[in-house]
Amino acid sequence: MKRLLVLLLVGGCASLAHADEGMWTYNDFPAARVQQAYGFTPSATWLDRARMASVRLAGGCSGSIVSPTGLVMTNHHCAHSCIEQLSTAKRDYVATGFLAKVPADEVRCPEIEINQLQKITDVTARVQQATVGLTGEKFASAQKAAFAEISKACATSDQLRCDVVTLYRGARYDLYQYRRFQDVRLVFAPEFAIAFFGGDPDNFEFPRYDLDVSFLRIYDQGKPAKLDTYFAWSPEGPKEGQLQFVSGHPGSTARLETVAELEFERDHQLPLRQLWLAEYRGMLAEFAARGPEQARIANGRLFGVENSLKVYNGLLGALREPSLLEKKRAEEQSLRKHLAANPKLASVGSPWDEISQAVAKERNFYTRLMYLEGTGRGPMGIDSLLFEQAQLLLRGSVETTKPNGARLEEFAESNLPALLQELGSTAPIYDELEIERLTFSLTKLREALGPDDQTLKSILGKQSPRQLATELVHGSAALKDPKQRLPLWKGGKAAVDAAKIPMLDFARRVDPEARAVRARWENEVKSVTERNHEKIARAQFAVSGTSAYPDATFTLRLSYGAVKGWTRADGVAIKPFTTFDGAFSRATGAEPFKLPDSWLAAKGKLTLATPFDFVTDNDIVGGNSGSPVFDKELRITGLIFDGNIESLGGDFLFDDAHNRAVAVDSAALLEALSKVYGASRVVDEIRTAPAPRG
Amino acid sequence: MKRLLVLLLVGGCASLAHADEGMWTYNDFPAARVQQAYGFTPSATWLDRARMASVRLAGGCSGSIVSPTGLVMTNHHCAHSCIEQLSTAKRDYVATGFLAKVPADEVRCPEIEINQLQKITDVTARVQQATVGLTGEKFASAQKAAFAEISKACATSDQLRCDVVTLYRGARYDLYQYRRFQDVRLVFAPEFAIAFFGGDPDNFEFPRYDLDVSFLRIYDQGKPAKLDTYFAWSPEGPKEGQLQFVSGHPGSTARLETVAELEFERDHQLPLRQLWLAEYRGMLAEFAARGPEQARIANGRLFGVENSLKVYNGLLGALREPSLLEKKRAEEQSLRKHLAANPKLASVGSPWDEISQAVAKERNFYTRLMYLEGTGRGPMGIDSLLFEQAQLLLRGSVETTKPNGARLEEFAESNLPALLQELGSTAPIYDELEIERLTFSLTKLREALGPDDQTLKSILGKQSPRQLATELVHGSAALKDPKQRLPLWKGGKAAVDAAKIPMLDFARRVDPEARAVRARWENEVKSVTERNHEKIARAQFAVSGTSAYPDATFTLRLSYGAVKGWTRADGVAIKPFTTFDGAFSRATGAEPFKLPDSWLAAKGKLTLATPFDFVTDNDIVGGNSGSPVFDKELRITGLIFDGNIESLGGDFLFDDAHNRAVAVDSAALLEALSKVYGASRVVDEIRTAPAPRG
């Protein structure tokens, strides 16, 4: 499940690639390396086709276009929230699965936005010009203004989304122009029990037996979108040792963070988040134990939390291996020596020391930042859907009156369509769960700030967390209804100021200090580390040339590799494929090892030797969930849904001997769609699609 | 609340004392240091009196004898489990408080055992002789046999409890002989709301406003025990700067652990426990939110968990300060240099390296150890009261048939009275909470061992954690009843083998691997670190002389210090006293800042300037909860119940400038007992007790 994006709030730097390492940008793809390793040179046309057939789910996943009429394949866990939002107590598609037997049965997902990358433009010169000679707050606001201006000029309609992407941590800025699709409908999803067979215990493990797939369809003006470029399908799946590509959106990596930053992550950032999540998991699991309806409304979030916890455990495990930091320290020393020996690079100064000082400052207010301004950017903050809506309205009413470049970045013109989708979402909000989430958040907030903190006092007053949470949720029903939210947004500041909604008042009490601590972080930390990483990246270019890829930034990347098993630390050799019969052997009849009835019923019809899941050494991380695996003929051979537990250290270092990507085999997808689900409409569409055009 | 013992499973070593540092044994008390610092020399008689008037609550606390008829003062949180066990849904003494208006109202606590230290004997030579030349498993079993033999010879009746105590990590072994009291009755407890005013948010903080007290009475043959030695009472309490003593049972410190051990704690041991606890806290808090009865039965455990979490946060905070390990590293290097330069000490070898290797091994099975054999020894393991009873019966039926020295140490003859008290306890066990605790434990166990682990498979079978937990709890009602447990114990192996109780079968499935991993730890880790710490301690004696105290081992220690405020890291100077009126100002009316009705009603009668809580620089840690603070006239001036947040690093280093012990003022106790609770019987008893005799 993991390859969902887990927000780390880290940036991206350059790293030198070894073996099949690398999450390459499409405009700097090392075709010659692939030729050397696998005897195949991707052409420019081939690359364009792969790029145009790859999509991003704005919520944090990847996907692929698999037919000329807008059919998109992604993971079940990437569409989980949609499937849950379309369900009710009486009609639970998470449990039963979903199949639109006829086109009219395809149902719109309330909050899914799909982006298709149209064009990449280098805007480095324009951005760097805007910030020449500036530092601190001036640097931060000049850069933000430049980003906003460039994006706005590019996003000439709501159909387009434009982002300025910071690559190599500021050594390069590229403008990514996407086509934006907000009418996305659910076509097919299997039962959760097979999509996530083995549950949390098997998550990040292999051998594995998951059918973690869903099919969506992009609509355009009420009809299935006609898209020129799409992947074909390999009915037989991949073979061991065969070259495979993965095109998707790795979320974030930290492969050239400095030692000071990694130590901060190890000792403060990750443990803080991990502890918060562990307690939150205990709360949610116990809430779900109240009854089946509570389980239904809480489980999606619970599984996301468990997934993030495993990620953090893996990251911390990697960082606590002394060898990793020793290696990083040695790399840093080596580059410092190069700088010292090269008078031309004297102007670089001591970027490591400046970053180290910024991180030391960050430590003083990091907890405050996460608790007051973490909402929606990571696991922490005030965890409440009603609060998110209230904050959106409150801040929107102020920010949208400012010039585009002076706004909080999420309110820049180019982001407004996404915000309007969120405000207009018909996804249900459940009071009972909201009260528990908010009680939890307020209790943790009081713990973090202390009961004597002035901000905490102004937020909580004389109430207990539970008293306040109950009052806010029961009093703010208006925010549950998109028909009441949208007019407030459109009515602007006057409408929002006049609204008598307790959660809005609460958001107002949180806002001044939340903004202040965010500004402090942007000015004292982010702007300093960015400028200095830019210096390090330039120095590294000067020393090692440009055979490097930037750290992941949730933008489209292409990786190459092969189907390949590995040997675990305990000496056990793991084969690269599993088969259907393995799933039947592993089933115990009790969750999460309970196969759905549909599978038990279809067992006699299935070819049990069909390959089910497989592993490759492609270099992927969180955000790659739903990425297509494809061969050099641009035929889908698999669907990425996870990495092995060893791959979690991949945020810091890629280890070709142990890191593995985990995918569903294209043969398994066909077999299950046909024989378990009778989804002939989907099967026919992907199998009979004409050969892709570019 | 903190000064309750939080088990760390660490041993004890020697450390050189500075300023008011030191948790001194009574037989090595540095009277001359006190004379030098405060102009007072405690005499041998004075020390004997203080020792005999100090008691230990076997569950993990300290206390003091305050009248000749067995009245014992300790903290509310030390008697919390008794108060909870005596409560029912309709009669909740935790909420309402408890006062025995007449002697006949005093009620027996089901599980409290009190120990009074009678005698300390040096048995170093005998123990060391038994293990000469042995290593590994042979060392471990020879030592265990020697301990058991010495203890058994000393414990000539069930009225006596004898423990061989490893001091300076094996440089010295002392035999502690206690008088054991198992008939302990509840006399007085205030409402939880004032005992723990401020709750978790204020825990480990100061200024503070807690009346964290309870009074118990020791009975002997059905009557109040006549005890010769007790503390007198200071009605006016202590003054700023005045010399104060604290006599109590600090649980464990790690002030001379090696760097390898501290790094292991920082990177593995503490984070593992902390994460488990955080998730457990989330579960318990959400369980308590089901309703008032669930809150009543879960809150005692929840508060204990929250307390431990704050302790772990403090310990990790201290260990993550690079300066701490740098200091330890420097000390280690300096001692190594001394050894290298001193040919007489050549035989010491390289104990640091051997410890480091043992710790590296421990890392490979530490998680397994904690999950399979952690029950009752720390926060982890299989968290279920029914499981504890089942394991006691199962292991007891095997262990008690072995020679005393060959048993698991908790089944040595000298420990049997404590086990019988546990088996005979009338404390209620609640199915609903048991199922949640066991479901949680089994889920975490599966997570730690992995679903493919053979032990896990044999424990869980094909069931889910919740299915198995429900079946075990519902099927094992026999274990809830002391009248059924005691006959099983007395019936020995035949009776236990014949019993058809699912939880017993379950304990049988856990047992082989739990014993195996424990034996591995004892043989490969504990025996190695003990032998090598002994070498380090001897080397340190040779270099620095003996002006050192051993690490805490939950045995009686005496510390000296003075009433003294401190300056926090943020520059705020904290005064050493609070007063009653501060409590009224801090009250918000919402838990945990809600004063009980009794206080609101009594406000007019109270002298609001009465000192409430105060701080001293005495050196204490967890386990000191309930310790008396007293002056040089052996008069009670206060009651330890906490330390400030800075003091949590005290497990590793004592910092006189910032570490503070937190106590209730003896004047506050008198004022509240008289005017809020009308507890004239208690007040008269402690005020009119004749001067103590030795």
Side-chain angles (χ1 to χ4, degrees):
Chain A
M1 169 176 194
K2 123 183 206 178
R3 296 312 181 171
L4 192 67
L5 172 60
V6 173
L7 282 167
L8 275 178
L9 283 185
V10 296
C13 315
S15 182
L16 294 177
H18 307 283
D20 290 348
E21 177 175 352
M23 334 185 139
W24 304 93
T25 52
Y26 268 84
N27 49 342
D28 272 327
F29 189 76
R33 275 174 185 262
V34 183
Q35 174 63 42
Q36 198 173 2
Y38 292 97
F40 170 69
T41 303
S43 67
T45 313
W46 187 97
L47 288 168
D48 284 345
R49 283 179 183 165
R51 171 175 57 78
M52 289 294 284
S54 304
V55 295
R56 180 169 83 166
L57 277 70
C61 277
S62 302
S64 56
I65 302 172
V66 291
S67 91
T69 44
L71 194 66
V72 166
M73 179 171 72
T74 185
N75 292 141
H76 184 281
H77 73 266
C78 292
H80 189 117
S81 63
C82 163
I83 303 166
E84 192 180 281
Q85 287 162 357
L86 296 178
S87 297
T88 63
K90 290 190 181 156
R91 194 188 57 186
D92 182 3
Y93 298 131
V94 176
T96 63
F98 178 89
L99 173 63
K101 290 207 178 120
V102 294
D105 290 348
E106 298 179 0
V107 201
R108 184 163 177 174
C109 287
E111 293 179 0
I112 288 187
E113 173 179 308
I114 282 181
N115 303 141
Q116 183 195 31
L117 181 59
Q118 308 285 313
K119 202 164 65 175
I120 304 175
T121 316
D122 184 347
V123 293
T124 311
R126 282 173 65 191
V127 174
Q128 287 181 347
Q129 208 168 11
T131 57
V132 160
L134 302 178
T135 58
E137 191 175 342
K138 284 184 181 156
F139 174 92
S141 56
Q143 191 188 69
K144 201 159 71 172
F147 279 20
E149 192 190 333
I150 295 168
S151 302
K152 192 178 175 183
C154 158
T156 49
S157 88
D158 282 357
Q159 310 297 310
L160 294 175
R161 171 182 176 135
C162 295
D163 298 323
V164 177
V165 179
T166 304
L167 297 169
Y168 306 98
R169 287 188 178 264
R172 175 158 176 170
Y173 298 92
D174 277 359
L175 175 66
Y176 276 56
Q177 187 193 55
Y178 301 93
R179 187 162 170 204
R180 178 203 302 275
F181 299 101
Q182 288 197 328
D183 185 352
V184 177
R185 306 194 189 175
L186 183 62
V187 176
F188 169 79
E191 306 90 340
F192 180 75
I194 189 67
F196 196 38
F197 182 74
D200 183 60
D202 274 2
N203 198 10
F204 296 100
E205 301 292 340
F206 195 84
R208 195 72 165 282
Y209 312 90
D210 286 5
L211 194 83
D212 192 352
V213 67
S214 67
F215 287 95
L216 307 171
R217 191 183 306 281
I218 297 175
Y219 277 67
D220 188 19
Q221 299 183 301
K223 289 187 183 156
K226 296 216 180 309
L227 300 172
D228 288 340
T229 316
Y230 45 87
F231 288 107
W233 196 272
S234 160
E236 70 279 7
K239 297 283 165 282
E240 186 164 355
Q242 227 178 29
L243 171 64
Q244 303 294 329
F245 295 91
V246 173
S247 177
H249 299 79
S252 73
T253 50
R255 292 191 184 165
L256 215 69
E257 284 209 330
T258 67
V259 170
E261 288 170 298
L262 292 173
E263 284 176 341
F264 178 67
E265 280 196 51
R266 182 194 65 189
D267 296 340
H268 302 282
Q269 192 180 47
L270 292 174
L272 184 76
R273 290 156 171 245
Q274 195 189 30
L275 272 177
W276 194 96
L277 277 174
E279 193 173 334
Y280 188 52
R281 178 195 189 189
M283 183 280 276
L284 280 177
E286 189 62 14
F287 176 84
R290 285 185 183 180
E293 175 60 2
Q294 285 91 347
R296 188 185 72 76
I297 65 175
N299 273 344
R301 188 146 185 91
L302 176 59
F303 299 137
V305 166
E306 289 180 338
N307 189 58
S308 298
L309 268 173
K310 273 213 171 173
V311 173
Y312 287 140
N313 289 346
L315 296 177
L316 273 167
L319 286 174
R320 284 173 181 154
E321 276 303 330
S323 59
L324 189 143
L325 274 169
E326 277 159 24
K327 189 163 182 290
K328 294 283 179 187
R329 215 169 266 123
E331 285 175 8
E332 216 164 282
Q333 285 309 320
S334 152
L335 192 52
R336 276 181 198 243
K337 271 189 200 152
H338 269 292
L339 290 192
N342 190 338
K344 279 189 197 159
L345 295 171
S347 69
V348 170
S350 49
W352 293 275
D353 300 337
E354 290 192 31
I355 289 174
S356 176
Q357 285 154 21
V359 167
K361 275 192 198 166
E362 184 175 14
R363 204 180 139 179
N364 297 326
F365 59 87
Y366 182 75
T367 302
R368 213 170 171 83
L369 174 72
M370 283 296 98
Y371 275 94
L372 286 171
E373 190 58 11
T375 305
R377 347 179 112 227
M380 299 171 66
I382 293 162
D383 181 66
S384 150
L385 300 175
L386 289 171
F387 175 76
E388 283 180 36
Q389 294 287 353
Q391 193 179 54
L392 197 51
L393 288 169
L394 176 72
R395 290 189 167 176
S397 73
V398 178
E399 294 299 309
T400 52
T401 64
K402 297 180 185 170
N404 193 30
R407 301 178 191 176
L408 295 175
E409 58 183 343
E410 62 271 28
F411 291 94
E413 285 295 329
S414 56
N415 278 327
L416 296 186
L419 301 187
L420 278 164
Q421 188 190 33
E422 191 178 337
L423 284 164
S425 167
T426 54
I429 295 177
Y430 299 98
D431 281 7
E432 187 183 359
L433 181 54
E434 277 288 298
I435 290 172
E436 299 311 301
R437 289 171 63 170
L438 199 50
T439 300
F440 178 81
S441 304
L442 293 171
T443 306
K444 297 300 289 178
L445 182 71
R446 181 175 67 189
E447 190 179 307
L449 269 50
D452 297 317
D453 180 86
Q454 285 310 319
T455 303
L456 190 276
K457 281 185 174 175
S458 76
I459 290 173
L460 200 53
K462 297 212 160 195
Q463 290 181 293
S464 73
R466 183 168 291 280
Q467 286 170 338
L468 178 59
T470 308
E471 197 178 290
L472 290 176
V473 172
H474 287 156
S476 307
L479 293 179
K480 288 160 69 173
D481 181 4
K483 294 207 190 74
Q484 296 192 54
R485 290 189 302 244
L486 287 170
L488 280 173
W489 174 269
K490 282 170 195 146
K493 195 161 180 316
V496 170
D497 285 352
K500 298 260 176 277
I501 302 175
M503 189 64 90
L504 262 177
D505 292 338
F506 173 78
R508 234 171 244 122
R509 301 203 294 274
V510 174
D511 214 46
E513 182 71 6
R515 283 175 177 266
V517 71
R518 174 171 169 174
R520 189 171 172 198
W521 179 73
E522 285 177 355
N523 300 331
E524 295 180 20
V525 180
K526 186 164 170 269
S527 72
V528 178
T529 55
E530 253 179 30
R531 264 189 312 117
N532 285 288
H533 268 293
E534 179 191 330
K535 290 182 187 172
I536 296 173
R538 280 194 204 162
Q540 180 145 355
F541 281 171
V543 170
S544 327
T546 54
S547 62
Y549 58 93
D551 256 335
T553 50
F554 198 40
T555 50
L556 190 62
R557 303 296 176 89
L558 182 61
S559 81
Y560 63 93
V563 176
K564 204 192 273 187
W566 83 103
T567 301
R568 289 195 320 217
D570 62 4
V572 177
I574 305 293
K575 293 191 177 141
F577 287 99
T578 62
T579 53
F580 277 180
D581 51 5
F584 288 98
S585 316
R586 192 162 183 75
T588 63
E591 282 175 3
F593 298 101
K594 185 171 162 43
L595 285 172
D597 292 342
S598 62
W599 280 68
L600 299 175
K603 188 177 178 187
K605 287 183 281 179
L606 288 169
T607 303
L608 292 175
T610 305
F612 199 158
D613 294 343
F614 65 90
V615 289
T616 76
D617 71 346
N618 290 70
D619 185 3
I620 63 162
V621 296
N624 269 112
S625 271
S627 296
V629 187
F630 51 96
D631 59 19
K632 54 190 203 285
E633 281 80 37
L634 294 168
R635 297 184 312 159
I636 298 274
T637 54
L639 167 62
I640 293 291
F641 70 97
D642 206 352
N644 63 355
I645 200 91
E646 292 91 331
S647 74
L648 289 170
D651 271 39
F652 309 111
L653 271 183
F654 180 78
D655 170 8
D656 196 50
H658 301 101
N659 285 30
R660 291 294 177 271
V662 183
V664 190
D665 196 292
S666 61
L669 290 165
L670 276 193
E671 179 82 356
L673 284 168
S674 308
K675 298 191 185 162
V676 181
Y677 299 103
S680 50
R681 198 166 73 88
V682 178
V683 171
D684 293 348
E685 187 171 349
I686 58 184
R687 290 208 57 172
T688 62
R693 285 177 287 141
Chain B
M1 168 176 195
K2 141 206 186 154
R3 296 312 181 171
L4 192 68
L5 173 59
V6 173
L7 283 166
L8 276 178
L9 284 184
V10 296
C13 320
S15 184
L16 295 176
H18 307 282
D20 289 348
E21 176 176 352
M23 342 185 131
W24 304 92
T25 53
Y26 269 84
N27 48 344
D28 273 326
F29 189 77
R33 274 173 185 265
V34 184
Q35 174 63 41
Q36 200 175 0
Y38 292 98
F40 170 69
T41 303
S43 68
T45 314
W46 187 97
L47 287 169
D48 284 345
R49 283 180 181 162
R51 171 174 57 78
M52 290 294 284
S54 303
V55 295
R56 180 169 83 167
L57 276 69
C61 276
S62 302
S64 57
I65 302 172
V66 291
S67 90
T69 46
L71 195 67
V72 166
M73 177 170 73
T74 185
N75 291 141
H76 183 281
H77 73 265
C78 292
H80 188 118
S81 62
C82 163
I83 302 166
E84 191 181 279
Q85 287 161 358
L86 296 177
S87 298
T88 63
K90 291 190 181 158
R91 194 191 56 189
D92 183 3
Y93 298 132
V94 176
T96 62
F98 178 91
L99 172 63
K101 290 209 176 116
V102 294
D105 290 347
E106 297 179 1
V107 202
R108 184 163 177 174
C109 287
E111 293 179 358
I112 289 187
E113 173 179 309
I114 283 181
N115 303 142
Q116 182 195 31
L117 181 59
Q118 308 284 311
K119 203 164 66 175
I120 303 175
T121 317
D122 184 347
V123 293
T124 311
R126 283 172 67 191
V127 173
Q128 288 181 347
Q129 207 168 12
T131 57
V132 160
L134 302 178
T135 57
E137 189 174 345
K138 285 185 178 158
F139 175 94
S141 56
Q143 191 190 68
K144 199 159 72 173
F147 278 21
E149 191 190 336
I150 296 168
S151 301
K152 192 179 175 182
C154 158
T156 49
S157 87
D158 283 355
Q159 311 297 309
L160 294 175
R161 171 181 177 138
C162 295
D163 298 322
V164 177
V165 180
T166 303
L167 297 169
Y168 306 98
R169 287 190 177 260
R172 176 158 176 171
Y173 299 93
D174 277 359
L175 176 66
Y176 276 57
Q177 186 191 58
Y178 301 94
R179 189 163 169 201
R180 179 203 301 275
F181 299 101
Q182 288 197 330
D183 186 352
V184 177
R185 306 195 189 175
L186 183 62
V187 177
F188 169 80
E191 305 89 340
F192 180 75
I194 189 67
F196 196 38
F197 181 74
D200 184 59
D202 274 3
N203 198 10
F204 296 101
E205 301 292 340
F206 195 84
R208 195 71 166 280
Y209 313 90
D210 286 4
L211 194 81
D212 192 354
V213 67
S214 67
F215 287 94
L216 306 170
R217 191 183 305 281
I218 296 173
Y219 278 68
D220 187 18
Q221 300 182 304
K223 288 185 182 154
K226 295 212 180 315
L227 300 171
D228 288 342
T229 318
Y230 45 88
F231 287 106
W233 197 273
S234 159
E236 71 279 6
K239 297 283 165 282
E240 186 164 356
Q242 226 178 30
L243 170 64
Q244 303 295 329
F245 295 90
V246 172
S247 177
H249 299 79
S252 74
T253 50
R255 292 190 184 166
L256 214 70
E257 283 209 331
T258 66
V259 170
E261 289 171 297
L262 292 173
E263 285 176 340
F264 179 67
E265 280 196 51
R266 181 195 63 190
D267 295 341
H268 301 282
Q269 191 179 49
L270 292 173
L272 184 77
R273 288 154 173 250
Q274 196 189 29
L275 272 178
W276 193 95
L277 278 174
E279 193 173 333
Y280 188 51
R281 179 195 189 191
M283 184 279 279
L284 281 176
E286 188 61 16
F287 176 84
R290 286 185 183 180
E293 176 59 1
Q294 286 90 348
R296 188 185 73 77
I297 65 176
N299 273 344
R301 187 146 185 90
L302 177 59
F303 299 137
V305 166
E306 289 179 339
N307 189 57
S308 298
L309 268 173
K310 273 213 170 173
V311 173
Y312 287 139
N313 289 346
L315 296 177
L316 273 167
L319 286 175
R320 285 177 181 151
E321 277 302 330
S323 60
L324 190 144
L325 274 169
E326 276 161 23
K327 189 163 183 289
K328 294 283 178 185
R329 214 169 269 125
E331 284 175 9
E332 218 164 281
Q333 284 309 321
S334 151
L335 192 52
R336 276 181 197 243
K337 271 190 200 152
H338 268 290
L339 289 192
N342 190 337
K344 280 189 195 161
L345 294 172
S347 68
V348 169
S350 50
W352 293 276
D353 299 338
E354 291 193 30
I355 289 174
S356 177
Q357 284 154 22
V359 167
K361 276 191 197 168
E362 184 175 14
R363 205 182 137 179
N364 296 326
F365 59 87
Y366 183 74
T367 302
R368 211 170 173 83
L369 174 73
M370 282 299 97
Y371 274 95
L372 286 171
E373 190 59 12
T375 305
R377 349 179 111 227
M380 300 171 63
I382 294 162
D383 180 66
S384 149
L385 300 174
L386 288 172
F387 176 76
E388 281 180 37
Q389 294 286 353
Q391 192 179 55
L392 197 50
L393 287 170
L394 176 72
R395 290 189 166 176
S397 74
V398 178
E399 294 298 309
T400 54
T401 65
K402 297 180 185 172
N404 193 31
R407 301 179 190 173
L408 295 174
E409 60 183 344
E410 62 270 29
F411 291 95
E413 286 295 330
S414 56
N415 279 326
L416 297 186
L419 300 188
L420 278 165
Q421 188 189 35
E422 190 179 337
L423 284 164
S425 167
T426 54
I429 295 178
Y430 300 97
D431 282 6
E432 187 184 357
L433 180 55
E434 277 288 299
I435 290 173
E436 299 311 303
R437 288 171 61 170
L438 199 50
T439 299
F440 179 82
S441 303
L442 294 171
T443 305
K444 297 301 288 178
L445 182 71
R446 182 176 65 189
E447 188 179 308
L449 269 50
D452 296 317
D453 180 87
Q454 285 310 319
T455 303
L456 190 274
K457 281 185 172 176
S458 77
I459 290 173
L460 200 54
K462 297 213 157 196
Q463 291 180 291
S464 73
R466 183 167 293 278
Q467 285 170 339
L468 179 59
T470 307
E471 195 177 291
L472 290 176
V473 171
H474 287 156
S476 307
L479 293 179
K480 289 159 70 173
D481 181 5
K483 293 205 190 75
Q484 297 192 55
R485 291 189 302 243
L486 287 169
L488 280 172
W489 174 269
K490 282 169 195 145
K493 195 163 179 314
V496 170
D497 285 352
K500 299 257 175 281
I501 302 174
M503 189 64 92
L504 261 177
D505 293 337
F506 172 79
R508 233 171 244 124
R509 300 202 295 273
V510 174
D511 214 45
E513 183 69 6
R515 282 174 178 267
V517 70
R518 173 171 169 174
R520 191 172 171 198
W521 179 74
E522 286 177 354
N523 298 332
E524 295 180 20
V525 181
K526 185 164 171 267
S527 72
V528 178
T529 53
E530 253 179 30
R531 264 187 312 117
N532 285 287
H533 267 294
E534 179 191 330
K535 290 182 187 170
I536 295 173
R538 281 194 203 162
Q540 179 144 357
F541 282 172
V543 171
S544 327
T546 54
S547 63
Y549 58 93
D551 255 335
T553 50
F554 197 40
T555 50
L556 190 62
R557 304 295 177 88
L558 182 62
S559 80
Y560 63 92
V563 176
K564 206 193 273 187
W566 82 102
T567 301
R568 288 195 320 216
D570 61 5
V572 177
I574 305 292
K575 292 190 178 144
F577 287 98
T578 61
T579 53
F580 278 180
D581 50 6
F584 288 98
S585 317
R586 192 161 183 76
T588 64
E591 283 177 3
F593 297 100
K594 184 171 161 45
L595 285 172
D597 292 343
S598 62
W599 281 67
L600 299 176
K603 188 175 177 186
K605 287 184 283 179
L606 289 169
T607 304
L608 292 176
T610 306
F612 200 158
D613 294 342
F614 65 89
V615 288
T616 76
D617 71 345
N618 290 71
D619 185 3
I620 63 162
V621 295
N624 268 111
S625 271
S627 295
V629 187
F630 51 95
D631 59 19
K632 56 190 205 282
E633 282 81 37
L634 293 169
R635 299 183 313 159
I636 298 273
T637 54
L639 167 62
I640 293 290
F641 70 97
D642 207 351
N644 62 354
I645 199 89
E646 293 91 330
S647 74
L648 289 170
D651 271 41
F652 310 111
L653 271 182
F654 181 77
D655 170 9
D656 197 51
H658 301 102
N659 285 28
R660 290 296 177 270
V662 182
V664 190
D665 197 292
S666 61
L669 289 165
L670 277 192
E671 179 82 355
L673 284 167
S674 309
K675 297 190 184 163
V676 180
Y677 299 104
S680 50
R681 199 167 73 89
V682 177
V683 171
D684 292 350
E685 188 171 348
I686 58 183
R687 291 210 57 173
T688 63
R693 285 176 289 140

